[in-house]
Amino acid sequence: MQSNAYGASLAGGAFDFESFVKKPQTALRVLSWVFSIVVFASITAEGYTNQIEQEASHCMFNNNDTACSYAVGIGILAFLGCVVFLLLDAYFPNISNAKDRKYIVIGDLAFSATWMFLWFICFCVLTNQWSKTTAQYVRSDAARAVIAFSFFSIVTWFLLSYFALGRYRQGLSEFNQDYTDPVHDHTSPYPPAQSSYQQAPFPSSQGQQGDWLSSLMKVNCWHITAGSVATNTPPDTLLSSSALIGSNDGSSAYKASRKRRDNDA
């Protein structure tokens, strides 16, 4: 992960309260925090009724205790989540590790999208149960407030998901812009990989040596032929002479052959 991704290169400095308050995420988290308080506080305080003919208290939404418990549960968890992410947003500018910033952004996106979906379910369930409620001793104002703020919570958590997705995409684009291919990276401390192909050593020298040997053999053959014609000696006799093999001088070969012929005579 690159050190500049997710704004990690801008980390440091003192906490700027004014800029923190002006961020749209801060306002949305505060609104979501307030809406969650309204939902679970209204149900906890006025959501359970005890009718005259019944001993136990039941939920004001069609006596469905599961509906009230669900709304209270996600309201409390949303309240705690807003507090945690408000603290992370305040501390986020001081985080210099790009990997930690990425995890915070992904966690914000996942939590916001999940709670948007949970609030949508809560709104649908409470609306359905309220339409079936026939009890006379139910406080309708509290029920309508719970339903209304459940709907408002869907909107705020949707906007939080949108901003979290924007921060995640921005971090990915910064990572792609900062990435450089190691082959073309001149600032890398590691040398580029060398090719495994190597040219054969001394190709020109070997070629010259082969040409020299071929020329020497041609000269020797010419000397043998010339000596054989001049002295009427078979070529085998001249080939066995060490003077012909060790020397490329035609006159020396001729003298050695003539001397041997005189001795035989």
Side-chain angles (χ1 to χ4, degrees):
M1 177 63 64
Q2 298 294 315
S3 60
N4 295 333
Y6 298 93
S9 60
L10 304 177
F15 174 71
D16 190 356
F17 180 76
E18 183 178 358
S19 62
F20 173 72
V21 173
K22 291 181 179 180
K23 289 182 179 180
Q25 293 93 332
T26 303
L28 290 172
R29 293 195 198 283
V30 172
L31 288 176
S32 299
W33 180 70
V34 173
F35 295 163
S36 64
I37 293 176
V38 173
V39 171
F40 75 79
S42 297
I43 296 177
T44 302
E46 301 177 356
Y48 291 91
T49 59
N50 185 7
Q51 299 180 8
I52 299 176
E53 63 275 9
Q54 296 178 352
E55 297 181 356
S57 299
H58 296 280
C59 178
M60 61 181 174
F61 292 98
N62 196 26
N63 295 332
N64 189 345
D65 295 339
T66 302
C68 289
S69 299
Y70 178 81
V72 171
I74 66 170
I76 293 176
L77 293 177
F79 170 82
L80 297 176
C82 290
V83 173
V84 171
F85 281 103
L86 276 173
L87 296 177
L88 289 176
D89 288 342
Y91 186 68
F92 192 81
N94 295 324
I95 301 176
S96 58
N97 191 337
K99 185 178 293 186
D100 294 340
R101 282 176 171 250
K102 177 183 177 180
Y103 291 153
I104 293 175
V105 172
I106 293 177
D108 183 15
L109 176 61
F111 188 86
S112 300
T114 302
W115 250 252
M116 176 190 66
F117 178 71
L118 293 178
W119 278 119
F120 175 75
I121 294 177
C122 180
F123 171 76
C124 294
V125 170
L126 295 180
T127 303
N128 180 53
Q129 294 299 317
W130 178 247
S131 64
K132 298 178 180 180
T133 301
T134 57
Q136 299 178 356
Y137 301 97
V138 175
R139 297 181 179 181
S140 59
D141 294 339
R144 293 189 180 94
V146 171
I147 295 174
F149 283 99
S150 297
F151 176 78
F152 296 154
S153 296
I154 299 173
V155 178
T156 56
W157 286 103
F158 170 78
L159 294 176
L160 286 173
S161 302
Y162 174 78
F163 284 111
L165 180 61
R167 285 203 300 177
Y168 178 72
R169 289 179 175 177
Q170 182 180 1
L172 289 180
S173 63
E174 291 174 353
F175 172 79
N176 294 330
Q177 290 176 1
D178 292 341
Y179 177 78
T180 54
D181 192 350
V183 177
H184 304 288
D185 187 8
H186 300 289
T187 62
S188 175
Y190 302 101
Q194 299 292 337
S195 176
S196 59
Y197 173 77
Q198 293 182 354
Q199 193 174 9
F202 311 110
S204 59
S205 300
Q206 288 184 353
Q208 293 176 0
Q209 185 178 3
D211 295 339
W212 181 81
L213 291 175
S214 178
S215 300
L216 181 59
M217 292 177 64
K218 291 180 180 179
V219 171
N220 289 334
C221 291
W222 180 81
H223 287 167
I224 293 171
T225 304
S228 176
V229 173
T231 61
N232 294 323
T233 305
D236 296 339
T237 305
L238 294 177
L239 187 61
S240 61
S241 178
S242 59
L244 273 176
I245 298 174
S247 173
N248 59 356
D249 188 2
S251 61
S252 298
Y254 174 75
K255 291 177 182 179
S257 300
R258 185 64 178 272
K259 185 178 180 180
R260 183 173 182 179
R261 183 179 179 183
D262 293 342
N263 293 332
D264 293 339

